[in-house]
Amino acid sequence: MKYVNAKAILPDALLKELQDYIQGGYIYVPASPRQRKRWGELSGYRIELHRRNCKILQEYSNGFTIEDLANKYCLSVYTIRKIIYQK
C-alpha cells in the first residue's frame, strides 16, 4: 500500500477537520464494500485456477485417473477429488 499526502488529495476543509482528530499520524481508509475485489480478482489468479480446474474436469471425463491428474498438475489426490466432485 502506498501512502499519499492528505494535503495533495483532500479539500482544505476536510483536511482541517481531520487534523482535529489526528496530526502527523497514519489513517487507514478502507475501501467501500462495492469497490472490494474478491481474492484473486485483481491479479487474475482466480480466472487461471478456474481454467485449470476446467481442464482437470475435462481430462477426468476423458479417462484420466485421479492419480494421473495429481501427478500432471502437481496436486494432491485429495485436491483433485475436491475439484472433480465440487459440482
Side-chain angles (χ1 to χ4, degrees):
M1 181 181 346
K2 182 175 136 182
Y3 291 103
V4 178
N5 188 335
K7 193 174 189 178
I9 60 170
L10 297 177
D12 289 336
L14 181 55
L15 182 60
K16 288 177 184 172
E17 183 72 24
L18 283 172
Q19 287 172 334
D20 289 342
Y21 295 93
I22 185 169
Q23 290 187 11
Y26 298 106
I27 291 179
Y28 170 72
V29 180
S32 67
R34 70 180 191 281
Q35 290 180 324
R36 283 204 173 137
K37 303 279 187 206
R38 292 181 2 195
W39 175 89
E41 285 182 335
L42 195 59
S43 67
Y45 194 59
R46 181 179 288 274
I47 293 170
E48 189 177 327
L49 285 179
H50 177 72
R51 288 181 185 150
R52 182 206 64 191
N53 293 349
C54 287
K55 284 182 185 178
I56 289 172
L57 285 168
Q58 183 179 16
E59 290 175 357
Y60 179 73
S61 66
N62 288 338
F64 279 77
T65 67
I66 290 174
E67 290 78 14
D68 290 340
L69 293 169
N71 288 329
K72 179 177 180 179
Y73 289 97
C74 299
L75 297 171
S76 69
V77 170
Y78 175 76
T79 301
I80 296 294
R81 283 189 183 127
K82 281 186 2 183
I83 292 168
I84 291 170
Y85 301 122
Q86 70 183 344
K87 295 181 181 190

